[in-house]
Amino acid sequence: LFEVASEHLAASGVAPKANGLERKHAELRPEAKPVSGPEIRARSLHGTPNQSAPVENLLTPEQQETLQRNATLLKYRSGNVVFHESEDAHFLYFIVEGVVRISRSGENGRRQILAFSVPGDLFGIPDAGHYVNSAETVCATQVYRVPWPRMQQLMADEPPLQLHLLAKLGYDLRQAQARIMTLGVQTIPQRLASFLLEFALLPNWFDEEQRYLKLPMNRFDMADYLGTAPESTARAFAKLESEGLVRRVSSRTLEILDIGGLENLRKGHVKRRSSRIPITSDCERG
Amino acid sequence: LFEVASEHLAASGVAPKANGLERKHAELRPEAKPVSGPEIRARSLHGTPNQSAPVENLLTPEQQETLQRNATLLKYRSGNVVFHESEDAHFLYFIVEGVVRISRSGENGRRQILAFSVPGDLFGIPDAGHYVNSAETVCATQVYRVPWPRMQQLMADEPPLQLHLLAKLGYDLRQAQARIMTLGVQTIPQRLASFLLEFALLPNWFDEEQRYLKLPMNRFDMADYLGTAPESTARAFAKLESEGLVRRVSSRTLEILDIGGLENLRKGHVKRRSSRIPITSDCERG
DNA sequence: CGTGTATTTGATGCATATCAAATATTGTGG
DNA sequence: CCACAATATTTGATATGCATCAAATACACG
């Protein structure tokens, strides 16, 4: 699901000292891979139409090590603020483990979760020196962070790193577009099905064996991600359950009973009739 | 924000030749700027928090010329297909003039317009060698297109070009996120207000003098962009008009009567109550 | 084992989708 | 330039999905 990365948010924070984040320069343990879990994903921008390779533009081990050497590993507990929208952007983050919600507050105060970043994703890309989104942990999370100045220097020294970042951004853009599709043309139950299918792709939270999906976030987060209210989310769950697609083991744990059914629901009927599609394909050729 | 690339509009131009697109290698006329109109926009990814500079990461004149030398100028009439989703991606496009709608068809067949690209924007970024969106002209449009292999070579030779593309992508990502916010938390009239305000920023279609906004697309396109039906779009227009915010001169031409009012509407009340925002700011610090 | 929080369920109203039809606009041939 | 046909847009009537308010139930923490 997502590897998006986007930006920021905030929290009224309490506590600096007593509870802070565990910080330590990433002394690389040779056997430990820098960005754990899902690996550094993201297809190449162009890439050859090589479908077989699921992941492209991967960094070489040396490059990954270089990145790690210049990064700091941070460990957060659940519900912590990594950074808040509008703050000065000093770092770029890579998720090693856990889930981070990237959100933004609308002018009216409503919160929209733009993405749930998972291991392998990056976030913290600024605009004119400021984060534009907020980033908060949804569960215990570890991230690598690299100071922007350092990052820029690394990219200058290693052009391939730029390409890699480019691929990442391209991936995030596609994810965001998928989000737009979901919000623009699907009903709430369909959005929920899409969401569950997205998460079911992540082995971290989906036990292929037992078909158990362990969701790390609460209904409020899900609602804000789906662009709806928590109550509607609950009703959508009830609907999926009544149709035999899933079974609620507990509020955060689901048993996926019919993936094909979920996919059909996602594709399902339209929310509104399709627009006229009268396109002339010809063009002027001089 | 960036000035990325993502939407906008154009003038309904007359048509060039018979049909076909006028094609000619961009022989640079020294006095003609490569990417016309809006210039190549897009702020730097990080950039110093230098607010004063409205545009960063601009290409040098030499770089722009290099790009042009490797590009082909194409001229399309209104309603033409530049490329279709799932096609093999051979080119990267830069809009010189006009408006291109970037869209995708949902699994249910419903169309969602992801963005209206305007002069200065780029589109055609592939995923695994294929376009993931469709691109069609909304009015007479001119674009520069660069073969991907060539583009990759250029980036390899000129790392700064990679940074520029990175900035463009970052801008597009932020635009997409803004779209998510709109679709996720705003009512139809609010989305329309947002849309009009976006377009009112483009001098190409907004006559600051007379406050006349000339929209290049029809109601179907607008509806698919706003994630609603043409009828609802019409009603939203009626609402804005009844509130004295705009006046419909013709279906495609508006007189903007109260920009402040539009902004207030956009910010306006919430569609749903805000989610609980109980965030602990503390984190573990080792 | 309470007490506060999260989630679900119920009841109701409003916003918007949808179906229909009227009106306005645009293009075409005479 | 005019009349008509085709298309686009608006308006009306109605159905429905979803937001919202309220309340009950299930959970988690201490």
Side-chain angles (χ1 to χ4, degrees):
Chain A
L1 162 51
F2 351 67
E3 328 206 59
V4 162
S6 282
E7 318 163 8
H8 355 77
L9 131 54
S12 47
V14 184
K17 242 314 225 26
N19 29 19
L21 56 189
E22 185 166 334
R23 166 196 221 146
K24 50 183 165 187
H25 277 283
E27 333 96 57
L28 282 301
R29 335 178 202 80
E31 69 286 0
K33 304 187 66 176
V35 174
S36 81
E39 279 287 315
I40 291 183
R41 296 168 285 173
R43 299 191 172 185
S44 72
L45 271 188
H46 180 243
T48 40
N50 177 2
Q51 314 282 58
S52 59
V55 177
E56 306 180 46
N57 270 350
L58 281 180
L59 295 178
T60 64
E62 298 74 47
Q63 292 172 327
Q64 291 193 17
E65 194 181 323
T66 299
L67 252 185
Q68 282 182 73
R69 240 199 312 278
N70 288 283
T72 299
L73 177 64
L74 301 178
K75 298 183 178 180
Y76 290 91
R77 291 194 297 177
S78 176
N80 288 337
V81 175
V82 177
F83 56 74
H84 189 281
E85 59 184 298
S86 83
E87 274 181 18
D88 279 1
H90 297 304
F91 308 98
L92 178 63
Y93 297 80
F94 297 87
I95 300 188
V96 176
E97 188 180 322
V99 178
V100 173
R101 63 168 174 261
I102 305 302
S103 66
R104 193 185 295 184
S105 287
E107 296 165 303
N108 53 31
R110 190 78 73 299
R111 182 184 72 160
Q112 173 67 41
I113 291 180
L114 300 168
F116 285 112
S117 289
V118 297
D121 290 344
L122 101 187
F123 62 94
I125 290 179
D127 181 19
H130 292 269
Y131 292 122
V132 293
N133 302 320
S134 293
E136 298 139 352
T137 57
V138 160
C139 55
T141 301
Q142 291 181 41
V143 303
Y144 271 113
R145 74 175 191 194
V146 182
W148 264 106
R150 190 83 61 101
M151 192 67 198
Q152 294 182 303
Q153 185 196 325
L154 289 176
M155 290 194 294
D157 298 344
E158 287 274 9
L161 194 56
Q162 288 180 45
L163 276 186
H164 182 68
L165 193 53
L166 210 50
K168 284 277 198 188
L169 268 188
Y171 177 82
D172 283 353
L173 178 58
R174 283 190 294 277
Q175 290 293 123
Q177 293 178 336
R179 217 83 269 308
I180 292 173
M181 293 300 297
T182 295
L183 295 175
V185 310
Q186 297 187 162
T187 63
I188 304 300
Q190 288 179 319
R191 297 182 201 179
L192 178 58
S194 296
F195 170 74
L196 296 179
L197 288 168
E198 282 178 58
F199 251 88
L201 292 176
L202 306 174
N204 269 42
W205 296 278
F206 185 53
D207 179 346
E208 195 74 58
E209 192 63 31
Q210 297 195 304
R211 318 221 104 198
Y212 268 35
L213 183 61
K214 187 86 185 64
L215 300 170
M217 75 294 287
N218 62 30
R219 295 287 188 265
F220 285 85
D221 285 348
M222 283 182 48
D224 286 348
Y225 179 67
L226 301 178
T228 188
E231 297 95 323
S232 297
T233 304
R235 284 182 228 281
F237 265 117
K239 183 169 192 283
L240 298 202
E241 192 164 40
S242 74
E243 293 177 1
L245 303 178
V246 305
R247 182 171 70 83
R248 279 176 287 188
V249 178
S250 75
S251 72
R252 303 260 185 127
T253 307
L254 291 178
E255 180 181 3
I256 306 299
L257 302 174
D258 182 1
I259 287 197
L262 284 174
E263 288 168 339
N264 286 333
L265 172 60
R266 178 183 60 186
K267 299 177 190 170
H269 297 242
V270 300
K271 190 170 75 178
R272 53 197 160 78
R273 71 165 172 284
S274 64
S275 295
R276 165 250 27 219
I277 316 172
I279 299 171
T280 70
S281 182
D282 52 13
C283 53
E284 315 239 330
R285 188 172 283 281
Chain B
L1 141 75
F2 274 110
E3 324 203 77
V4 166
S6 275
E7 339 202 318
H8 311 70
L9 75 84
S12 51
V14 184
K17 254 296 227 42
N19 48 5
L21 54 190
E22 185 165 338
R23 167 196 219 147
K24 49 183 165 187
H25 276 283
E27 334 96 56
L28 283 300
R29 333 177 203 84
E31 69 286 1
K33 305 185 65 175
V35 175
S36 81
E39 281 284 317
I40 293 183
R41 297 166 287 169
R43 298 193 172 183
S44 71
L45 270 189
H46 179 243
T48 40
N50 177 2
Q51 312 285 59
S52 59
V55 178
E56 306 178 47
N57 270 351
L58 280 179
L59 294 178
T60 63
E62 299 73 50
Q63 292 172 328
Q64 292 194 14
E65 194 182 321
T66 298
L67 251 185
Q68 284 182 73
R69 238 200 314 279
N70 288 282
T72 299
L73 178 64
L74 301 178
K75 297 183 179 181
Y76 291 92
R77 290 196 297 178
S78 177
N80 289 338
V81 175
V82 178
F83 58 73
H84 189 280
E85 59 185 294
S86 83
E87 275 180 19
D88 278 1
H90 298 303
F91 308 98
L92 178 62
Y93 297 80
F94 296 88
I95 299 188
V96 175
E97 188 180 322
V99 179
V100 173
R101 64 167 175 262
I102 306 301
S103 66
R104 192 184 297 184
S105 287
E107 295 165 304
N108 52 31
R110 189 77 76 299
R111 181 183 72 160
Q112 172 69 40
I113 291 180
L114 299 167
F116 286 113
S117 289
V118 297
D121 290 342
L122 102 186
F123 62 94
I125 290 180
D127 181 19
H130 292 270
Y131 292 122
V132 292
N133 303 320
S134 292
E136 298 136 355
T137 58
V138 160
C139 55
T141 301
Q142 291 181 41
V143 305
Y144 271 115
R145 74 175 192 193
V146 183
W148 263 107
R150 190 82 62 101
M151 191 67 198
Q152 295 182 304
Q153 185 194 326
L154 289 176
M155 291 194 293
D157 297 343
E158 288 273 8
L161 195 56
Q162 287 182 43
L163 276 185
H164 182 68
L165 193 53
L166 209 51
K168 285 277 199 190
L169 267 189
Y171 176 81
D172 283 353
L173 177 59
R174 282 191 291 280
Q175 290 291 122
Q177 294 178 336
R179 213 87 272 305
I180 292 172
M181 293 300 297
T182 295
L183 295 175
V185 311
Q186 296 187 162
T187 62
I188 304 300
Q190 288 180 319
R191 298 182 200 180
L192 177 59
S194 296
F195 170 75
L196 296 178
L197 288 168
E198 279 177 58
F199 253 86
L201 291 177
L202 306 174
N204 269 43
W205 298 278
F206 185 52
D207 179 347
E208 193 74 58
E209 194 63 32
Q210 297 194 303
R211 320 221 103 198
Y212 268 35
L213 183 62
K214 189 85 184 64
L215 300 170
M217 75 293 286
N218 63 29
R219 295 286 187 264
F220 286 84
D221 285 349
M222 282 181 48
D224 286 347
Y225 180 66
L226 302 178
T228 187
E231 297 95 323
S232 297
T233 304
R235 284 182 229 282
F237 265 117
K239 183 168 192 284
L240 299 200
E241 191 163 42
S242 75
E243 293 178 1
L245 302 179
V246 305
R247 183 171 69 83
R248 278 176 288 187
V249 177
S250 75
S251 72
R252 303 261 186 125
T253 307
L254 291 178
E255 179 180 3
I256 305 300
L257 301 175
D258 182 1
I259 287 196
L262 284 174
E263 288 168 339
N264 287 334
L265 172 60
R266 179 183 58 185
K267 299 176 192 171
H269 297 241
V270 300
K271 190 170 75 178
R272 55 196 160 79
R273 70 166 174 284
S274 63
S275 296
R276 165 256 18 225
I277 316 171
I279 301 170
T280 70
S281 181
D282 51 14
C283 52
E284 315 236 334
R285 188 173 284 280

